[in-house]
Amino acid sequence: MTVDSDAVTSTVRISDFVLGLPKCEMHLHLDGTLEPSMKLDLARRNNIEIPQSTTAQIRESFRFHDLPTFLAVHYSNMNVLWTSRDYEDLAYSYLQISAQQNVRHTEMFFDPQLHTSRGVPFPDIVNGYRRAIVRARIDFGMSAELIMCFLRDYTAEYAMATLMEALPYKDWIIGVGLDSDELDHPPAEFSEVFARARSEGFLVTMHCDVDQVDSAEHIRQAIADLHSNRIDHGLNVLDDPDLVIAAREKGLGFTVCPLGYGTHPCGMAPELERIHAMLEAGLKVSVGSDDPPYFGGYLAENLQACIDVGGFTEAELVTISRNAFETAWVSERRRVELLEELDDYARRHGLPA
């Protein structure tokens, strides 16, 4: 199996084992998969002037040093996305790359407020994404779902209004989440929004980023008060033994992003140590790629980093993949299919199934 795409910019060699491993990705921002080549193509298609004229110049502009500067770069790139076709192309490109990396199921975040705030109609966004999901099911035999995130640096009232816009599309959106800049925006700020979302049948996840102010308290709010079904990032759960126990008892999933942590001041290795500690504590950790063009790789590259930088074993990668399938928002029939596929792969490689 090979990955032949200009979109994959990492120079890391992916082992045959990692590439062939049946995978599930649940921490991926569709808005953050805009590759430089696609940005250039969409700018031309939509007659939008951008400061760069080559993909190399665009990639050079993907520079940041912390979450606020990342968000500034990321948000500025969204101005080339306008039509339903744009969103379909964006999602299909990610799904195609993921299929080449043997991702069998994916649950993709999208941030409609990044676009509705610019005047893009909500239906154009979700219809484009839905068409890509249907095409990927036909073309690649992979399953995919949408998770709609609220931007926590916008108001809770705007989040509630966005939730109301999503209600006609409940069959296409499996859950809701919370992302963007966490500073001064704890999960509790959006408690009414998530309560309404749960009452409408949406599953719930939310970002609890690494080493934020009151990180452990935010995780506690997400678990105990907002009844989150999963936590995105959440490495600071280790700061409170009671939180570890609560998360383990609930079978709560944690979606972590190794290459993204490489932008932290101390680099990726300390965060991989924390991820390893979470696994040893019996927490259901899975790996995602977050925003691949910005962090240098898709899911396979992130898993390879676990081996190359973190010293993870192949057996631990099987556990990570199993955690993902066990905490994915799929039917039990689909879950059994995916786990059987994973177990067969593990047996063929002499690993516990």
Side-chain angles (χ1 to χ4, degrees), residues 19-38:
L19 199 56
L21 180 71
K23 303 174 188 66
C24 174
E25 178 156 41
M26 299 178 294
H27 194 137
L28 181 284
H29 296 268
L30 277 173
D31 313 270
T33 64
L34 183 67
E35 289 282 349
S37 57
M38 181 170 284

Side-chain angles (χ1 to χ4, degrees), residues 271-281 310-313 316:
E271 312 306 351
L272 285 172
E273 290 179 8
R274 286 205 264 189
I275 294 170
H276 204 269
M278 292 170 72
L279 282 173
E280 290 184 336
F312 286 54
T313 66
E316 287 172 327

Side-chain angles (χ1 to χ4, degrees), residues 21 36 40 73 102 128 139 236 247 251 256 269 271 293 299 332:
L21 180 71
L40 197 61
V73 172
N102 206 27
D139 294 346
N236 291 94
V256 303
E271 312 306 351
L299 184 52
E332 287 309 307

Side-chain angles (χ1 to χ4, degrees), residues 55-97:
T55 57
Q57 290 173 347
I58 294 173
R59 191 166 298 285
E60 180 65 21
S61 74
F62 285 16
R63 291 187 175 275
F64 53 91
H65 60 269
D66 57 14
L67 181 59
T69 55
F70 163 73
L71 292 174
V73 172
H74 170 48
Y75 288 4
S76 70
N77 286 327
M78 295 298 96
N79 68 346
V80 298
L81 290 159
W82 284 100
T83 70
S84 187
R85 179 187 171 194
D86 297 342
Y87 295 97
E88 179 180 356
D89 289 350
L90 180 69
Y92 189 81
S93 176
Y94 158 72
L95 290 165
Q96 183 176 40
I97 294 168

